[in-house]
Amino acid sequence: MQVLCVSGAPIVCRSAFQSALFQSDVFCFFFKSKSSCLGLVLFDVDFGRGGQHGHVQPFSDEDASIETLSHCSSFSDANSVADEGGETSEDAAQEDFQYKLKGFIDSTVDKSAKTRQGALDGLKTAMATRILYEFILERRMTITDSIERCLKKGKGEEQRAAASLACLLCIQLGSGIESEEVLKTLKPIFKNILADGSANIQARQAVATSLGLCTLVAEDDILDVHATMECFENLFTRSYARMDGTYTSINPQTSQLHTNALLSWALLLTICSANQHLTKLPRLLESEDVNMRIAAGETIALLFELARDMDADFEFENWDELCDKLNALATDCNKHRAKTDKRKQRSVFRDVLKAVEEGDFQSETIRFGMERMTIDSWVRKRTYDAFREFVGSGMNYHLQANEFIRDVFELGPPMLVDSATVKAMKISRFERHLHNSAAFKARTKARSKFRDKRVDVGEF
């Protein structure tokens, strides 16, 4: 007897063994673990007359190699069948997913407004969480026509969903002719909705945000970028304080529209600088809306960063007055404002004040897969926040796989990493727990230095 491979516990096939007893044939024992066959033992059994045991002859090297190859080939065939089965199941899942997407596209022209909105939401979720370039490229005109129809004939939430879907469509297609055609079709409708004071306010809010990012992705003419920025200026300048310090009465919904327009205008500043509003933007710091105050502060910091990049000796005329305003907002303790709003405002304006006074930025590291990206400027922060608003929880996936977004953040081509490498890079749950505990302690110590506890106590 010659043992070629031994592993695990033997499982004997009785019928095969009985056949070997009477046929003087080669017999093999298969050895299995809980999940898979790990080895086998080959015997050459030679029985004498009458079934009496004569002698056991070991295999020669040639016979052993032939038998081993025979059995190994049988195992490889089984494994290849299993691999093909896995690929087949993946292909089936992909086909099923695409079938659902086709159903969503068809449902965008349904008579029921509820059905159309559900289809738009389904497409939004798919585009936010997966890369569907090939699928969308073949159907971009159909999807664009559906978005156009929903924007024109839909109301409220349907228009809002269509505007968001238009932005995700441009993100999927990236910067190129295809996304330019999408924007060329939808931009006139976007601008009409923005300028129409009788249109649904939620639709106008969504369009103000979507038009900004679509322009960043797809617009190639700098004059058209300036024209779009003027549309945003016509909205958020209505929140400016008058020269006598009074404000026009604005309801919260309209104030949110102006805030979205300001943020989109600031986003386009990252590719088309314009400093003419730097002297006027401080008027928005006195707005009653905390979101408007924060957006104005971040935009001022962005403008200072861009101005200093162009001219290291840049000086602002009303610098002392501006710093006093920013410092007051960074230590705001007005009792008529909500505590949560004040905390959020103080945190942002501490960073804004540092940016204006020292040109400093509180950097942040984003982890995705095995890569890291550092948000080290106000330009990057505004761009990252704009993409994240639409992609949401799928942002890390798009940072890994979306070539356009990787190009925007200068991450290079997507990394090709197999599953085995990813599995090897993962740490155990216990190690992750220790790391999180240490990070929590360090974060608590760091934050305790910057918390204005005395100001919070003085509020009561």
Side-chain angles (χ1 to χ4, degrees):
M1 178 181 67
Q2 181 180 9
V3 179
L4 299 181
C5 180
V6 180
S7 178
I11 300 177
V12 180
C13 302
R14 293 183 180 179
S15 59
F17 181 70
Q18 291 173 355
S19 174
L21 289 177
F22 295 102
Q23 296 179 13
S24 296
D25 205 348
V26 174
F27 179 70
C28 65
F29 288 89
F30 291 92
F31 291 81
K32 292 187 176 182
S33 65
K34 294 181 180 179
S35 59
S36 61
C37 178
L38 299 178
L40 55 87
V41 178
L42 302 178
F43 294 91
D44 184 11
V45 185
D46 184 11
F47 294 96
R49 294 179 182 179
Q52 299 295 324
H53 179 266
H55 60 278
V56 178
Q57 298 178 349
F59 282 130
S60 66
D61 293 340
E62 182 179 358
D63 294 336
S65 62
I66 293 173
E67 291 298 331
T68 303
L69 289 173
S70 175
H71 287 285
C72 287
S73 64
S74 66
F75 282 122
S76 63
D77 292 341
N79 291 334
S80 63
V81 171
D83 293 339
E84 290 176 0
E87 293 177 359
T88 303
S89 62
E90 290 179 3
D91 292 341
Q94 182 68 13
E95 290 179 3
D96 182 59
F97 178 70
Q98 292 186 0
Y99 178 79
K100 290 180 180 179
L101 290 181
K102 293 175 183 177
F104 286 145
I105 294 173
D106 294 338
S107 297
T108 56
V109 296
D110 194 88
K111 292 182 178 180
S112 170
K114 186 176 182 180
T115 301
R116 292 196 303 271
Q117 185 178 338
L120 293 171
D121 290 336
L123 289 172
K124 281 171 52 184
T125 302
M127 292 187 190
T129 55
R130 294 199 184 190
I131 303 299
L132 305 170
Y133 179 78
E134 297 294 338
F135 178 86
I136 291 174
L137 187 62
E138 298 174 0
R139 300 166 179 82
R140 60 184 175 84
M141 295 305 299
T142 303
I143 299 174
T144 304
D145 291 342
S146 298
I147 294 172
E148 181 181 7
R149 189 181 298 107
C150 292
L151 286 171
K152 287 181 176 180
K153 299 182 178 180
K155 296 181 180 179
E157 288 296 326
E158 183 181 346
Q159 289 178 305
R160 186 175 185 173
S164 298
L165 181 60
C167 195
L168 287 166
L169 179 61
C170 289
I171 292 174
Q172 287 279 343
L173 294 173
S175 180
I177 298 176
E178 294 81 9
S179 58
E180 289 176 15
E181 291 178 353
V182 172
L183 180 61
K184 184 178 179 181
T185 302
L186 300 179
K187 183 167 63 173
I189 305 172
F190 281 159
K191 290 188 175 182
N192 287 337
I193 294 175
L194 276 180
D196 186 5
S198 62
N200 182 276
I201 190 64
Q202 292 183 341
R204 297 179 72 195
Q205 291 171 359
V207 166
T209 304
S210 297
L211 179 58
L213 190 53
C214 287
T215 303
L216 178 76
V217 174
E219 192 62 80
D220 64 339
D221 190 344
I222 195 65
L223 296 179
D224 290 336
V225 175
H226 277 293
T228 301
M229 293 178 72
E230 288 180 4
C231 291
F232 295 138
E233 290 172 11
N234 292 334
L235 290 174
F236 71 77
T237 52
R238 298 175 188 176
S239 290
Y240 279 168
R242 298 190 183 98
M243 296 305 295
D244 58 358
T246 60
Y247 286 88
T248 305
S249 179
I250 299 175
N251 61 55
Q253 293 292 333
T254 304
S255 180
Q256 186 61 48
L257 169 63
H258 295 174
T259 302
N260 291 359
L262 176 60
L263 290 174
S264 290
W265 183 80
L267 177 64
L268 296 182
L269 280 178
T270 61
I271 59 173
C272 178
S273 61
N275 290 334
Q276 66 270 24
H277 283 272
L278 187 54
T279 57
K280 301 177 182 179
L281 278 175
R283 300 183 196 174
L284 295 177
L285 298 176
E286 300 173 12
S287 172
E288 291 296 322
D289 185 358
V290 63
N291 293 322
M292 174 58 82
R293 294 195 299 271
I294 290 174
E298 292 181 341
T299 304
I300 289 171
L302 175 63
L303 283 168
F304 266 85
E305 181 179 87
L306 292 172
R308 284 168 176 162
D309 287 342
M310 296 178 64
D311 181 9
D313 299 327
F314 170 77
E315 293 183 1
F316 184 64
E317 293 181 1
N318 301 322
W319 189 81
D320 292 332
E321 181 182 350
L322 176 60
C323 289
D324 290 340
K325 283 186 178 181
L326 295 176
N327 186 55
L329 291 169
T331 58
D332 187 11
C333 58
N334 288 333
K335 295 182 179 180
H336 69 279
R337 289 176 180 167
K339 287 184 65 177
T340 54
D341 290 348
K342 283 185 285 188
R343 285 201 186 97
K344 181 167 63 172
Q345 174 184 291
R346 286 196 294 261
S347 175
V348 170
F349 277 96
R350 279 194 291 265
D351 294 336
V352 172
L353 185 60
K354 281 185 177 180
V356 172
E357 289 183 337
E358 307 170 12
D360 191 18
F361 180 83
Q362 188 69 31
S363 62
E364 178 184 0
T365 301
I366 309 296
R367 295 182 181 180
F368 51 97
M370 295 188 298
E371 298 176 86
R372 295 183 181 184
M373 179 182 71
T374 302
I375 306 296
D376 56 1
S377 66
W378 289 98
V379 170
R380 273 205 163 195
K381 182 181 186 301
R382 179 79 281 275
T383 307
Y384 178 80
D385 290 344
F387 280 109
R388 187 179 58 180
E389 183 172 354
F390 287 95
V391 179
S393 60
M395 186 63 187
N396 284 358
Y397 179 74
H398 278 268
L399 284 172
Q400 287 179 278
N402 190 310
E403 293 184 3
F404 169 72
I405 291 183
R406 291 182 66 88
D407 184 55
V408 169
F409 293 104
E410 301 176 348
L411 298 173
M415 294 178 60
L416 300 177
V417 183
D418 58 356
S419 57
T421 304
V422 174
K423 187 176 181 180
M425 293 289 293
K426 289 184 177 179
I427 61 175
S428 66
R429 181 179 297 179
F430 179 68
E431 291 175 339
R432 189 162 58 249
H433 171 71
L434 293 178
H435 178 271
N436 290 339
S437 298
F440 175 76
K441 291 179 181 178
R443 186 168 59 249
T444 302
K445 291 180 180 179
R447 287 179 176 174
S448 63
K449 298 178 181 178
F450 298 102
R451 286 186 179 130
D452 43 350
K453 296 180 180 179
R454 289 182 296 177
V455 174
D456 291 339
V457 172
E459 294 172 7
F460 296 97

